[in-house]
């Protein structure tokens, strides 16, 4: 231990208290020991330090900060160096605001296009996600702050996110859902990590010894701190035993009391608790030392950060369509600006990532600065999805008078939010109806799309050009206009596949979970890994994006350490190409996707310039997880190395022989036909069990509710009062949805388990009281009420006593 001298002076009560929060965002401080408090703040794409009372959903206002493009948007830049720039800016703002630990970036895999909280998901590919996240982390930590990537691990569902179990085989876990975290730990050197709410194969992530001890600390050598998601602790004793260091936010002294009793009773070793305390003290010491090493900066350069946000938005925007080279627009083009998003942009997510932006560009206000003739502007549609014939007619009449229509549209705030998954992939119908009406009077429509993830596009035939900005941050409107007018050559590439319809997606039959278990039957076949292997046509493939110039590839050579080729900008404009390296093995005995991304670079070239590009191999290029030997191995044989502009546009390929390590093969091929063919849309129970290596666990809701069941499950509660409360809450949820604005409080309560009442009320409710509430819900009203009331007074008395022990007050 690094801080044994301090730990030896601490009482058991002080140790236990240090492992839980003091408030919504702060850790405990102990004046007599010289241990200060450290401050956490949300920061997936901008610092969200609340000025007054804290709450994790972002309901109360926060201090002004720069709203950069979201993590999912930034992944479209395919540029970890740009990610590092954003990270440095976040670190600078964190220093100004007194934030020690930046909770972000979000590093989850888009198993399905319907995965909620799309503004935090990075990509459908773990290699791309990990490399981008590592850039963020290096940038944030260069300022002396800690970055805290999240959510570890297999966090791919918002619905009942605190009460669901991800059932996933070990190989898929390793190759798809942990690889990004491995990269961010080993290459990004992350000093903090946040666990996810969900269970992974029956054990909550925050107390999962396999994840936290065997993989994170022992295999990857991680020595930073592990923090729960807010309210994500299930059993704090088990969490500490597994190596989870800090439970947030404050649960009062209830968890600390449980830790003390467990240590006194021998259920938790004091050595395990001391290891967590030591890591916490190391974080406090390092953060405090850096803060004391120089004066706190008074402010950050707001204009410079705004310019960086604009640069990031421009490099992340993806040009999906450009018929007849309508873009860039010629000087003086008569344009009509139509769409509500032109006036009030959708530029960030909701909830814990919502930034109180220092400045916000709007296309309606910025378009006058460009060499275009604006014939008029109209909102055209209502944001809440309701039809309005008057607004539609105004927009259509305006479109008639323009050479080109700039149509701003996309997903509204209700479509994507923390706490809910999407139910479909459609744009609100009133926006599409207007688009089709405009197309009947003007064929020259340039669409500017705003959304956090993939959408269905049967309407794309109505557009001559389509520029996708995703959720582009506070400066995104100007960035889009720069691309439209040719000041910037688009270089963004899709970090996810755009299917023709939702029914085509690999997890269509398996996502989201119906009851407790979310079964990952599609295994490795996420995104392009499925579409390419199964031969499923898509609208826009992974890695796709157009440019105003043309790139040519030639002269590929392969050696044992990497691939090398020549890239030429054969067009007339300077620009950037994202070159992508894919690997395939067609005749292997281990099933695998048709191809997998194993390297990429973003290369900037002047018009006519050529450059020799080298993409090195690394330890992940040829490996797979062998479930029989329980280690990473290489299957020997002939591999195809492919260099492409996207996963379906392969420009160069060559074969190379690779020596293997495999002696014991992991699978019986005749027992797993779906996984060997890639046709995984109908995986039967027997085959999924073969993949898992054990029987499928039951995820049925039955019998009495427990503290780990979600409040929305009260629809089958034995107590009529509980069922009434469920219907009341459901009606409130529906009312907020109908109004077009998500009520995050209702959504959080609706999906949270009963135990969270004890974890999220600042110590007002103990776990004993939560269990009493569940007893009432299960039809034993008076017994439960008695336990709840007696627990209330006991909790109040014991909290007072504990606080006196650690503060002397």
């Amino acid at each position: 231990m690094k801080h044994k001298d301090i730990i030896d002076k601490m009482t058991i009560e002080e140790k236990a208290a240090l492992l839980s929060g003091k408030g919504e965002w702060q850790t405990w401080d102990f004046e007599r020991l010289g241990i200060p408090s450290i401050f956490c703040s949300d920061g997936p794409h901008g610092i969200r330090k609340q000025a007054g009372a804290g709450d994790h959903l972002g309901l109360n206002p926060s201090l002004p900060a720069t709203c950069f493009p979201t993590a999912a948007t930034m992944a479209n830049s395919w540029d970890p160096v740009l990610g590092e720039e954003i990270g440095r800016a976040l670190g600078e703002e964190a220093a100004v605001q007194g934030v020690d630990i930046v909770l972000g970036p979000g590093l989850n895999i888009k198993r399905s296009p319907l995965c909620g909280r799309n503004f935090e998901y990075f990509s459908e590919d773990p290699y791309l996600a990990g490399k981008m996240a590592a850039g963020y982390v290096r940038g944030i930590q260069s300022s002396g702050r800690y970055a805290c990537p999240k959510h570890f691990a297999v966090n791919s569902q918002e619905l009942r996110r605190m009460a669901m179990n991800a059932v996933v085989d070990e190989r898929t876990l390793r190759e798809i859902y942990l690889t990004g975290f491995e990269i961010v730990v080993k290459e990004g050197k992350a000093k903090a990590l946040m666990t996810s709410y969900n269970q992974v194969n029956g054990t909550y992530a925050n107390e999962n010894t396999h994840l936290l001890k065997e993989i994170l600390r022992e295999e990857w050598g991680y020595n930073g701190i592990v923090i729960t998601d807010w309210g994500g602790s299930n059993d704090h004793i088990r969490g500490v035993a597994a190596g989870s260091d800090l439970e947030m936010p404050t649960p009062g002294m209830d968890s600390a009391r449980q830790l003390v009793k467990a240590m006194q009773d021998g259920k938790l070793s004091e050595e395990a608790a001391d290891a967590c305390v030591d890591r916490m003290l190391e974080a406090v010491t390092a953060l405090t030392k850096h803060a004391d090493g120089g004066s706190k900066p008074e402010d950050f350069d707001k204009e410079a950060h705004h310019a960086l946000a604009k640069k990031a938005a421009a490099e992340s925007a993806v040009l999906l369509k450009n018929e007849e080279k309508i873009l860039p627009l010629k000087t003086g083009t008569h344009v009509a600006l139509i769409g509500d998003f032109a006036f009030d942009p959708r530029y960030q997510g909701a909830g814990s990532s919502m930034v109180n932006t220092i400045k916000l560009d709007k296309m309606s206000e910025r378009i006058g600065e460009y060499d275009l003739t604006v014939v008029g502007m109209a909102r055209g549609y209502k944001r809440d999805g309701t039809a309005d014939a008057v607004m539609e007619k105004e927009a259509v009449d305006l479109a008639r008078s323009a050479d080109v229509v700039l149509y701003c549209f996309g997903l509204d705030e209700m479509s994507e939010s923390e706490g809910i998954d999407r139910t479909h992939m459609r744009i609100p119908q009133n926006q599409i109806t207007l688009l089709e009406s405009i197309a009947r009077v003007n064929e020259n429509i340039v669409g500017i799309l705003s959304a956090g993830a993939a959408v269905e596009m049967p309407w794309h035939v109505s557009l001559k050009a389509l520029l996708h900005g995703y959720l582009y941050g506070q400066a995104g409107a100007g960035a889009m206009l720069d691309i439209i007018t040719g000041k910037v050559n688009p270089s963004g590439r899709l970090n996810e596949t755009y299917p023709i319809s939702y029914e085509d997606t690999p997890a269509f039959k398996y996502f989201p979970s119906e009851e407790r278990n979310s079964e990952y039957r599609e295994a490795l076949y996420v995104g392009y890994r499925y579409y390419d292997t199964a031969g499923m046509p898509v609208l826009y493939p992974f890695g796709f994006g157009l440019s105003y110039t043309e790139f040519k590839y030639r002269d590929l050579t392969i050696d044992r350490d990497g691939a090398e080729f020549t890239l030429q900008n054969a067009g007339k404009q300077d620009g950037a190409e994202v070159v992508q390296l894919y690997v395939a093995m067609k005749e292997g005995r281990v099933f695998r996707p048709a191809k997998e991304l194993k390297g990429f670079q973003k290369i900037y070239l002047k018009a006519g310039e050529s450059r020799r590009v080298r993409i090195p191999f690394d330890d992940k290029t040829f490996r797979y997880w062998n479930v029989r030997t329980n280690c990473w191995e290489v299957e020997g044989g002939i591999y195809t190395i492919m260099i492409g502009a996207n996963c379906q546009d392969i420009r160069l390929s060559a074969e190379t022989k690779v020596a293997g390590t495999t002696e014991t093969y992991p699978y019986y091929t005749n027992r797993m036909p779906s996984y060997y063919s890639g046709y995984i849309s109908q995986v039967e129970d027997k085959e999924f069990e073969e993949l898992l290596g054990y029987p499928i666990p039951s995820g049925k809701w039955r019998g009495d509710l427990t503290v780990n069941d979600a409040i929305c499950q009260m629809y089958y509660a034995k107590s009529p009062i509980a069922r009434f409360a469920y219907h009341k809450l459901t009606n409130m949820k529906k009312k907020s949805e109908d109004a077009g604005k998500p009520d995050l409080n209702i959504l959080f309560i609706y999906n949270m388990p009963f135990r969270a009442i004890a974890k999220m009320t600042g110590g007002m409710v103990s776990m004993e009281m939560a269990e009493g509430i569940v007893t009432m819900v299960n039809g034993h009203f008076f017994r439960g009420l008695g336990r709840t009331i007696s627990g209330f007074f006991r909790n109040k008395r014991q909290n007072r006593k504990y606080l006196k022990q650690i503060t002397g007050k």
Side-chain angles (χ1 to χ4, degrees):
M1 291 191 298
K2 295 182 179 181
H3 302 278
K4 188 175 185 301
D5 56 333
I6 300 176
I7 292 172
D8 286 345
K9 298 174 186 176
M10 297 178 75
T11 66
I12 192 173
E13 289 80 11
E14 287 169 332
K15 293 177 183 179
L18 186 62
L19 304 183
S20 290
K22 182 181 180 181
E24 187 71 31
W25 302 110
Q26 291 175 284
T27 64
W28 275 98
D29 55 308
F30 300 100
E31 188 175 345
R32 79 172 187 89
L33 297 166
I35 301 173
S37 175
I38 54 177
F39 199 99
C40 305
S41 173
D42 286 318
H45 62 109
I47 303 300
R48 193 183 71 85
K49 182 180 181 181
Q50 290 176 292
D55 71 273
H56 77 291
L57 292 176
L59 302 176
N60 292 330
S62 56
L63 298 174
T66 308
C67 180
F68 292 98
T70 64
T73 304
M74 280 293 298
N76 289 329
S77 75
W78 291 63
D79 190 352
V81 176
L82 178 60
E84 196 163 338
E85 280 191 77
I86 300 294
R88 279 197 296 273
L90 289 173
E92 290 170 11
E93 297 191 23
V96 168
Q97 296 191 10
V99 171
D100 298 299
I101 301 179
V102 179
L103 305 176
L107 176 58
N108 304 303
I109 298 301
K110 293 182 181 179
R111 175 194 182 195
S112 163
L114 301 190
C115 287
R117 194 153 40 174
N118 284 306
F119 37 92
E120 287 190 7
Y121 288 80
F122 256 89
S123 173
E124 68 184 30
D125 183 82
Y127 192 86
L128 173 59
K131 292 291 185 178
M132 290 299 301
Y136 262 88
V137 168
R138 287 191 295 267
I140 291 170
Q141 295 187 165
S142 68
S143 69
R145 311 296 103 184
Y146 275 18
C148 185
K150 53 183 183 175
H151 306 84
F152 190 70
V154 205
N155 175 213
S156 301
Q157 179 178 307
E158 287 290 283
L159 180 66
R160 296 184 298 276
R161 59 185 177 178
M162 301 172 77
M164 57 79 61
N165 177 33
V167 181
V168 58
D169 69 283
E170 185 71 12
R171 184 180 172 199
T172 299
L173 173 69
R174 298 280 191 151
E175 295 186 23
I176 302 295
Y177 297 98
L178 296 187
T179 291
F181 284 102
E182 181 184 359
I183 292 170
V184 84
V185 165
K186 292 181 177 179
E187 299 180 23
K189 307 296 183 186
K191 296 180 179 179
L193 196 67
M194 182 186 289
T195 53
S196 57
Y197 284 126
N198 52 281
Q199 291 178 318
V200 180
N201 292 325
T203 303
Y204 282 97
N206 190 64
E207 55 198 51
N208 195 307
T209 301
H210 182 50
L211 286 176
L212 300 186
K213 274 193 173 179
E214 296 172 2
I215 297 175
L216 180 62
R217 297 204 186 276
E218 294 173 8
E219 290 186 26
W220 297 350
Y222 178 73
N223 57 11
I225 57 173
V226 171
I227 307 175
T228 72
D229 202 341
W230 265 231
S233 174
N234 169 54
D235 185 322
H236 194 36
I237 298 167
R238 292 180 180 176
V240 169
S244 175
D245 305 300
L246 178 61
E247 178 187 44
M248 291 297 287
T250 178
M253 307 316 302
D254 191 24
S255 290
R257 294 198 307 265
Q258 293 173 27
L259 287 182
V260 169
K261 188 173 187 307
M263 284 186 276
Q264 290 172 340
D265 294 347
K267 294 181 178 178
L268 174 69
S269 70
E270 195 163 349
E271 289 78 14
D274 284 353
C276 293
V277 170
D278 191 55
R279 288 189 290 266
M280 282 297 300
L281 291 174
E282 176 64 16
V284 171
T285 302
L287 290 165
T288 305
K289 182 179 179 181
H290 191 278
D292 292 344
S295 59
K296 176 184 172 183
E298 292 295 322
D299 207 349
F300 57 92
D301 190 332
K302 294 181 175 61
E303 288 304 317
H305 284 200
H306 185 75
L308 178 58
K310 184 178 181 181
K311 174 186 175 184
E315 291 197 22
S316 302
V318 185
L319 183 62
L320 294 175
K321 187 176 183 180
N322 194 21
E323 287 183 356
E324 300 175 16
K325 296 185 178 179
I326 188 173
L327 294 180
L329 297 182
K330 295 179 175 61
T331 298
T333 300
H334 288 63
V335 299
L337 183 62
I338 296 175
D340 191 64
F341 285 25
F343 298 84
D344 294 301
R346 170 98 196 286
Y347 62 98
Q348 65 172 327
S352 60
S353 78
M354 185 171 285
V355 178
N356 179 14
T357 181
I358 55 175
K359 185 178 181 179
L360 178 59
D361 286 348
K362 298 180 179 181
M363 204 170 290
S364 59
E365 297 172 356
R366 295 295 308 275
I367 195 169
E369 302 169 16
Y370 293 80
D371 292 329
L372 299 171
T373 302
V374 181
V375 300
M377 295 184 282
R379 290 185 181 264
Y381 56 81
K382 286 189 174 180
R383 206 180 191 89
D384 64 4
T386 57
D388 190 308
V390 174
M391 292 180 72
E392 182 179 333
K393 184 178 186 304
E394 178 191 9
V396 172
D397 289 344
L398 177 61
R400 285 191 175 95
S401 64
D403 297 329
V404 174
V405 174
L406 301 180
Y407 185 58
C408 300
F409 67 125
L411 294 179
D412 60 8
E413 287 76 5
M414 194 61 233
S415 299
E416 301 175 296
S417 173
E418 180 172 0
I420 56 173
D421 294 302
R422 295 158 69 194
T423 56
H424 57 77
M425 291 178 63
R426 299 186 297 275
I427 295 287
Q429 184 56 45
N430 65 330
Q431 297 182 38
I432 304 309
T433 299
L434 175 60
L435 170 61
E436 291 169 345
S437 296
I438 293 172
R440 285 192 283 271
V441 301
N442 191 326
E443 65 178 5
N444 296 319
I445 305 175
V446 175
I448 300 97
L449 181 63
S450 297
V455 294
E456 294 173 345
M457 296 183 178
W459 38 260
H460 80 116
V461 294
S462 298
L463 297 167
K464 195 156 279 187
L466 178 57
L467 178 63
H468 197 345
Y470 272 66
L471 301 182
Y472 50 43
Q474 68 180 47
M480 298 306 107
L481 287 168
D482 280 355
I483 293 172
I484 289 166
T485 57
K487 289 186 176 182
V488 169
N489 189 346
S491 60
R493 303 293 183 263
L494 290 178
N495 73 76
E496 59 185 326
T497 306
Y498 275 57
I500 295 171
S501 69
Y502 173 51
E503 290 75 12
D504 294 340
T505 61
F508 171 66
K509 296 286 180 66
Y510 317 129
F511 178 91
S513 63
E514 292 184 1
E515 295 189 359
R516 187 181 309 282
N517 286 348
S518 184
E519 297 177 353
Y520 286 61
R521 296 195 183 212
E522 71 278 6
L524 303 176
Y525 297 101
V526 175
Y528 73 91
R529 287 171 166 81
Y530 166 68
Y531 301 114
D532 282 4
T533 308
M536 178 68 70
V538 301
L539 188 60
Y540 295 113
F542 175 79
F544 178 84
L546 300 176
S547 171
Y548 294 154
T549 191
E550 179 185 358
F551 295 94
K552 292 185 177 180
Y553 299 62
R554 66 174 185 271
D555 303 332
L556 173 64
T557 60
I558 307 292
D559 58 40
R560 60 178 295 177
D561 297 319
E564 196 169 296
F565 59 96
T566 298
L567 180 70
Q568 179 188 8
N569 182 345
K572 298 179 180 180
Q573 297 189 41
D574 301 347
E577 174 77 319
V578 175
V579 295
Q580 302 160 37
L581 183 150
Y582 296 89
V583 173
M585 187 186 191
K586 293 183 179 179
E587 304 300 327
R589 290 177 59 185
V590 179
F591 76 81
R592 64 186 74 225
K595 66 173 75 74
E596 296 183 273
L597 181 74
K598 296 295 182 178
F600 61 91
Q601 286 185 31
K602 193 165 193 174
I603 307 296
Y604 294 83
L605 295 175
K606 293 186 176 297
E609 182 184 1
S610 296
R611 186 183 305 172
R612 197 71 181 158
V613 177
R614 183 172 181 82
I615 302 180
F617 298 151
D618 61 20
D619 62 333
K620 300 167 188 66
T621 304
F622 301 109
R623 75 179 190 179
Y624 75 97
W625 183 261
N626 191 322
V627 293
R628 289 195 182 272
T629 60
N630 203 34
C631 65
W632 291 107
E633 295 209 30
V634 174
E635 183 178 11
I638 303 298
Y639 287 80
T640 303
I641 307 300
M642 294 167 276
I643 304 295
N646 64 65
C647 76
Q648 293 188 2
D649 183 8
I650 301 302
R651 305 293 182 87
L652 304 169
S653 66
E655 292 184 341
T656 186
K657 188 173 183 179
V658 177
T661 62
T662 304
E663 295 180 359
T664 302
Y665 283 87
Y667 306 116
Y668 295 100
T669 58
N670 61 332
R671 297 180 185 176
M672 310 178 75
S674 299
Y675 296 111
Y676 274 88
S677 68
Y679 300 117
I680 44 73
S681 60
Q682 297 283 356
V683 176
E684 300 295 334
D685 289 358
K686 185 177 181 181
E687 191 172 356
F688 187 46
E689 289 180 340
E690 184 73 21
L691 180 72
L692 290 173
Y694 53 83
I696 300 169
S698 173
K700 295 293 183 182
W701 295 338
R702 56 167 65 91
D704 288 347
L705 293 167
T706 71
V707 290
N708 283 326
D709 286 316
I711 287 174
C712 62
Q713 293 173 235
M714 287 196 302
Y715 77 89
Y716 71 85
K718 293 178 181 177
S719 165
I721 298 174
R723 293 196 300 273
F724 173 80
Y726 161 78
H727 288 297
K728 185 74 173 175
L729 189 63
T730 300
N731 288 336
M732 292 169 66
K733 173 176 169 286
K734 186 176 186 303
K735 187 176 180 181
S736 74
E737 291 170 350
D738 292 343
K741 186 176 181 181
D743 188 316
L744 297 181
N745 255 337
I746 292 174
L747 288 171
F748 189 82
I749 293 169
Y750 191 79
N751 287 303
M752 78 178 189
F754 291 95
R755 74 169 190 279
I757 301 172
K759 301 295 184 181
M760 300 293 291
T761 50
M764 292 176 59
V765 178
S766 66
M767 189 59 72
E768 179 186 10
M769 294 167 64
E771 289 169 348
I773 293 169
V774 173
T775 301
M776 286 191 283
V777 166
N778 285 327
H780 308 289
F781 180 80
F782 291 106
R783 189 200 314 166
L785 181 63
R787 187 175 186 184
T788 303
I789 292 172
S790 62
F792 171 79
F793 289 107
R794 186 160 32 251
N795 182 54
K796 192 173 183 181
R797 183 175 63 253
Q798 291 177 345
N799 277 351
R800 193 182 301 119
K801 179 181 177 182
Y802 201 107
L803 284 169
K804 189 172 182 180
Q805 287 177 308
I806 62 174
T807 65
K809 300 176 184 178

